[in-house]
Amino acid sequence: MNIWSYILKRVLLMLPTLFGVVAITFAVIQFVPGGPVEQAIMEMKTISGVSEASGGGEAHYRGRQGIDAARVEEIKALYGFDKPAGERFWQMLKGFATFDLGKSFYHHMDVWELVVSKLPVSITLGMWTFFLTYFISLPLGIAKAVREGSRFDSVTSAIVLIGYSIPGFILGVFLLVLFGGGSFVQWFPLRGLTSDDWEQLSLMGKILDYLWHITLPVTASVAGAFAVMTMLTKNTFLEEIRKQYVLTARAKGLSERTVLYKHVFRNALIPLVTGFPAAFIGAFFAGSLLIETLFSLDGLGLLSYESVVRRDYPVVMGTLYLFTLIGLIVKLIGDLCYVWADPRLQFESLNR
């Protein structure tokens, strides 16, 4: 099977997967209480109750009285709930086919524009998390594998495991309390990526201000991923170092440096390189909800959480469709990278 046949087959398999995810989520949403229609009605009742209560001595509080049936139908039509679920699902699918993700109920703007507006924050947090994780974890994992059993290995393993055992959100709270003006010192800001006077700063001032704001959230984000990648790198290199071809290379008189970087390095990096696309994209779209909420960073994680709480269904379904599609494409790219990194593999083996 050549590469193009394999890609075509995988793309055809993506379609039912994508359809299944969207269909199941849409079906579940139909049974979730407190939808946008109910929330709009409750808001109208609250406003009506407040106005009646403050209207004078003869006014009576009527906030619990029902809304006129015609008004309810208008609200349903406004949100598109005047149509059967099947028709709404079909219209949504037709929009997704042309990448029309709909319009947000709450933000009153296209979901595409909303996602794009939140991307800078998530990209900033994701890029720093990804590069720091790889650029620190790979050398550290290799050093631990080469020095297995040494004091360096034991000490770094203890530090890495302690970092892994502390959730990023808890670490973020600890950092805020310790360095963000909690009970100790205020060396770093509590929220945002820039200061209010950022536009008036010089170029170097803007860079320093940005780094000042991003230090705590990036530190909290890197902790868990850093530990996992370090131990994965160590175990992968240890597995390769113990193989027969390494013993043969050493028996031929090759130096340890040559054995490590010429023979072990490429084979050991295969699982790490193939996970590169998924880790790169995942740093932007996964695991940032709690960090963004804690540090008041208005990114995709916070947007996803707020859309679920507010029952902003176009945002929920649109972002779900977009992220699922990106995940499937990244998985395909990862498989292609696997074959590229290890030519011994064939596309037929990836289908099993």
Side-chain angles (χ1 to χ4, degrees):
M1 181 184 296
N2 60 42
I3 183 173
W4 298 112
S5 299
Y6 175 76
I7 293 176
L8 178 60
K9 184 177 181 179
R10 286 293 300 272
V11 170
L12 293 177
L13 290 175
M14 289 180 188
L15 297 179
T17 303
L18 189 60
F19 175 82
V21 171
V22 172
I24 292 174
T25 306
F26 182 85
V28 170
I29 282 178
Q30 307 310 307
F31 300 98
V32 175
V37 175
E38 289 79 6
Q39 291 193 11
I41 292 175
M42 290 300 299
E43 184 178 352
M44 291 178 61
K45 287 182 177 181
T46 303
I47 295 175
S48 175
V50 171
S51 61
E52 290 287 350
S54 58
E58 298 182 358
H60 300 282
Y61 177 73
R62 298 187 300 177
R64 293 186 176 271
Q65 294 185 9
I67 304 297
D68 183 68
R71 182 57 176 160
V72 173
E73 293 300 322
E74 291 179 4
I75 297 175
K76 288 183 178 181
L78 177 64
Y79 292 113
F81 284 88
D82 57 328
K83 302 173 183 177
E87 183 178 349
R88 287 187 281 114
F89 181 69
W90 175 246
Q91 290 182 348
M92 183 185 68
L93 288 182
K94 290 194 298 182
F96 285 172
T98 58
F99 288 94
D100 180 7
L101 304 182
K103 188 173 183 178
S104 169
F105 293 155
Y106 180 80
H107 297 276
H108 305 293
M109 59 187 300
D110 291 338
V111 176
W112 257 119
E113 297 178 2
L114 193 58
V115 170
V116 170
S117 68
K118 307 296 183 181
L119 270 178
V121 172
S122 295
I123 288 178
T124 295
L125 188 59
M127 289 286 287
W128 280 107
T129 301
F130 173 80
F131 284 113
L132 287 178
T133 298
Y134 264 82
F135 288 161
I136 297 176
S137 298
L138 290 183
L140 180 59
I142 295 173
K144 286 173 61 61
V146 173
R147 299 173 176 83
E148 184 195 17
S150 65
R151 179 177 298 180
F152 171 81
D153 183 35
S154 301
V155 172
T156 54
S157 293
I159 296 175
V160 166
L161 292 177
I162 290 174
Y164 178 70
S165 64
I166 302 176
F169 181 75
I170 301 300
L171 178 60
V173 173
F174 173 77
L175 292 174
L176 283 177
V177 172
L178 190 61
F179 301 113
S183 303
F184 297 90
V185 297
Q186 188 172 2
W187 291 349
F188 297 96
L190 293 175
R191 60 181 61 87
L193 289 179
T194 57
S195 300
D196 294 336
D197 59 344
W198 191 78
E199 292 294 339
Q200 284 72 42
L201 299 176
S202 63
L203 177 60
M204 182 56 64
K206 290 180 179 180
I207 295 175
L208 294 177
D209 182 76
Y210 166 76
L211 295 176
W212 182 48
H213 281 77
I214 203 66
T215 298
L216 294 187
V218 167
T219 302
S221 299
V222 166
F226 164 77
V228 172
M229 184 57 63
T230 300
M231 298 309 295
L232 176 62
T233 303
K234 175 190 174 182
N235 295 333
T236 303
F237 270 80
L238 279 178
E239 182 181 355
E240 290 296 325
I241 290 173
R242 293 167 180 169
K243 288 185 177 180
Q244 185 64 40
Y245 75 88
V246 176
L247 298 177
T248 303
R250 287 172 174 169
K252 291 181 178 180
L254 297 178
S255 65
E256 284 295 318
R257 185 181 184 87
T258 302
V259 171
L260 178 63
Y261 290 102
K262 186 175 180 180
H263 297 279
V264 175
F265 195 75
R266 178 176 180 180
N267 293 328
L269 281 182
I270 289 176
L272 303 177
V273 170
T274 55
F276 188 93
F280 185 75
I281 299 298
F284 302 148
F285 301 113
S288 60
L289 167 60
L290 295 178
I291 301 299
E292 290 182 6
T293 304
L294 177 63
F295 292 95
S296 301
L297 303 177
D298 192 12
L300 291 175
L302 188 59
L303 172 66
S304 301
Y305 171 74
E306 290 179 346
S307 62
V308 172
V309 172
R310 294 167 174 166
R311 304 297 192 269
D312 198 347
Y313 293 148
V315 178
V316 173
M317 297 302 302
T319 53
L320 174 72
Y321 168 77
L322 183 61
F323 297 162
T324 303
L325 180 61
I326 292 175
L328 292 172
I329 294 175
V330 168
K331 182 64 172 63
L332 172 59
I333 295 174
D335 289 344
L336 295 177
C337 289
Y338 210 109
V339 177
W340 170 76
D342 190 355
R344 297 170 297 177
L345 295 176
Q346 300 297 324
F347 288 107
E348 288 84 352
S349 62
L350 295 179
N351 292 323
R352 299 191 182 105

